[in-house]
Amino acid sequence: MNTYRRLAAQVAAEVASGRLRPGDRLPPQRAFAYERGIAPSTAARVYAELVRRGIAAGEVGRGTYIRAPGTQPGPALAEPVSARIDMETNYPLLPDQQDVLAPALSVLSSRRDALKAAMSAASVQGNAAARALAARDLAEGEWIPSADSILFAGNGRQALAAAFSALVPQGERIGFEALTYPVACAIAARLGVEAVPLAMDDDGLRPDAVEKAHKIAPLRAIYLQPTLHNPLGTTMSAGRRADLAALLQRLQGPIAVEDRVYAFLDEQAPPPLAAFAPDRVVVMDSLSKRVAPGLTLGFLSAPAALVPSLARALVSGAWAASGFSLDLGTRWLSDGTVDALAARKRADALRRQTLARAALTGYDIKAHPAAYHFWFALPQPWRADAYVLAAERQGIAITPASAFAVSAGYAPNAVRIALAPPGLDELRSALGKLAALAGTDTDPTRSAWTG
């Protein structure tokens, strides 16, 4: 057995025997190396192995800790959760939404010609009318994508999979904001693509981080969320977008994949990154948030030169939209349903953010007032995994920062809290419980898992 694996097994045995308990901080890697008589590089591999096994977690500026049992580095955030109050997944559904969507479904069930059309196989390019509707929907300010640039996927995740597959060959590199949507990283891993974390600041992705990473080894693509970033809830300034666009133009290497799934919530956001560098950006959006995850449609808008390869990826990956979803989605786009739902959800998100800020007054939270989620930097002595487990014991599912960290096991001491799923009364109650939990003066690193 390799030395680092043998030492990782020893640490795991110490955890199993109770010599090391959840919440215990491991010594700095150099101190661990000195104690065990190994090289610092071997100690780094031991710690990486412990993180990989889910035994330990690193926290920015705080060191490496033994994990609480039952917590893992990162849920996929793509499946329903079992906790009574779901504040982990983030699909906003209005109480009467089925009544808003029903007319289009009634047309399909009552008109044989409409149903026959929906049953037919669909092209990834749809038809001219569908492309025109999608282009109009994606347009922001003076940026209006060409209808010929539009492709359709089954949902947003499938659109991302097609974009990554078309842009980044196996074994090559794609850059991600250091904290990002975890499903996007999981897709890259499934495709055999190396995910490279890129440094951020309060304005989002740093251009110098992109350039530095690209100099080390070429980046074939960059995935980013300039508007209402998930998990941070921030919106990138126009100046930063312009700086990133200028860098992309100068490097003439990476293609940016711009995720705009949450962008409909922020009506004051600057134009898309694609408006600053139209020939270097692929835009992805879907109806998952504006309509519903089970009745959705994914969109890609790409530079003309990339449309054929993206279309091939959608077809070969089986990521194309069905005729049924394409028909429904375009009906809802054309009759104003999507716009009406989006407007109501903007008001709903604002109301929920107001509740969250009132419940957590005095705590360090980061959120855009239009977002359906917020970032909660935990007070001492809480650690993210212990806080998540303690919340779960109260029937509330939330997500630790480690779920969003591209570098496994090394994340801020924070959690993301989703506001969309609970009803308002349930949300108000859950926020109160989370605030009370954060304010406890007990030692959570001992009590959270001992019951």
Side-chain angles (χ1 to χ4, degrees):
M1 180 185 294
N2 292 337
T3 299
Y4 79 91
R5 289 197 177 115
R6 176 176 55 79
L7 289 171
Q10 289 178 6
V11 175
E14 292 173 16
V15 173
S17 69
R19 287 187 59 198
L20 284 174
R21 297 182 60 188
D24 284 348
R25 180 178 177 176
L26 294 174
Q29 290 180 17
R30 287 190 174 276
F32 183 87
Y34 179 79
E35 291 170 3
R36 308 278 174 146
I38 57 175
S41 60
T42 303
R45 297 187 74 183
V46 173
Y47 278 40
E49 180 67 10
L50 292 170
V51 167
R52 187 189 69 79
R53 296 187 190 184
I55 295 168
E59 294 175 1
V60 174
R62 303 185 69 205
T64 303
Y65 291 81
I66 300 301
R67 281 190 172 277
T71 63
Q72 291 299 321
L77 303 185
E79 296 292 328
V81 299
S82 57
R84 184 174 60 83
I85 303 176
D86 176 11
M87 301 181 78
E88 182 174 86
T89 59
N90 211 18
Y91 291 109
L93 296 173
L94 302 171
D96 64 342
Q97 199 165 298
Q98 63 272 23
D99 297 329
V100 177
L101 301 176
L105 290 164
S106 297
V107 169
L108 291 183
S109 63
S110 62
R111 286 178 42 191
R112 292 176 61 87
D113 60 330
L115 182 59
K116 182 178 179 180
M119 290 169 58
S120 302
S123 162
V124 294
Q125 293 181 301
N127 54 42
R131 291 194 299 275
L133 282 167
R136 187 185 71 188
D137 178 65
L138 290 172
E140 284 288 338
E142 296 181 1
W143 179 71
I144 304 173
S146 165
D148 292 336
S149 77
I150 302 297
L151 297 167
F152 297 97
N155 56 42
R157 296 193 297 273
Q158 291 175 339
L160 285 181
F164 293 174
S165 176
L167 297 173
V168 191
Q170 281 190 356
E172 298 206 31
R173 292 159 40 101
I174 178 171
F176 288 87
E177 293 152 312
L179 295 169
T180 193
Y181 175 42
V183 174
C185 277
I187 290 169
R190 180 67 63 180
L191 292 171
V193 171
E194 181 185 353
V196 179
L198 303 173
M200 307 173 69
D201 58 22
D202 289 342
D203 201 14
L205 181 62
R206 287 169 36 188
D208 65 311
V210 176
E211 186 164 21
K212 180 180 177 181
H214 187 65
K215 284 182 178 178
I216 292 171
L219 298 172
R220 298 297 292 267
I222 301 164
Y223 167 79
L224 72 165
Q225 307 162 84
T227 303
L228 291 191
H229 180 274
N230 177 24
L232 299 177
T234 53
T235 289
M236 184 183 291
S237 69
R240 177 59 59 85
R241 295 176 198 228
D243 289 345
L244 281 169
L247 176 66
L248 292 171
Q249 296 283 16
R250 178 163 59 83
L251 294 179
Q252 285 295 304
I255 297 293
V257 179
E258 179 177 7
D259 185 338
R260 293 186 54 79
V261 167
Y262 281 111
F264 76 96
L265 292 168
D266 187 359
E267 292 188 291
Q268 305 305 314
L273 183 63
F276 295 88
D279 61 337
R280 307 303 303 168
V281 180
V282 172
V283 173
M284 186 282 292
D285 202 347
S286 84
L287 299 182
S288 296
K289 309 296 183 186
R290 288 179 287 168
V291 178
L295 295 169
T296 190
L297 181 66
F299 311 103
L300 288 171
S301 172
L306 295 177
V307 168
S309 60
L310 288 166
R312 289 192 295 271
L314 283 166
V315 172
S316 62
W319 297 312
S322 69
F324 183 76
S325 63
L326 184 57
D327 191 298
L328 271 180
T330 52
R331 284 177 188 273
W332 286 325
L333 286 171
S334 64
D335 67 11
T337 297
V338 173
D339 288 341
L341 286 174
R344 290 180 57 191
K345 290 183 180 183
R346 283 192 288 271
D348 183 55
L350 180 62
R351 183 163 50 245
R352 290 166 184 267
Q353 278 289 345
T354 301
L355 288 177
R357 290 175 183 274
L360 290 159
T361 298
Y363 287 106
D364 184 4
I365 67 172
K366 180 186 293 184
H368 192 286
Y372 263 119
H373 57 272
F374 67 92
W375 188 248
F376 184 14
L378 294 170
Q380 295 288 355
W382 280 108
R383 291 173 16 267
D385 60 340
Y387 188 77
V388 168
L389 185 60
E392 183 182 323
R393 298 216 168 163
Q394 296 201 30
I396 304 170
I398 58 177
T399 314
S402 57
F404 303 94
V406 178
S407 294
Y410 194 66
N413 188 41
V415 295
R416 189 201 74 166
I417 298 178
L419 300 173
L424 287 175
D425 289 340
E426 191 173 51
L427 175 63
R428 189 179 290 106
S429 173
L431 288 167
K433 290 179 180 179
L434 291 173
L437 194 61
T440 56
D441 57 4
T442 58
D443 180 3
T445 63
R446 298 301 181 198
S447 63
W449 43 80
T450 57

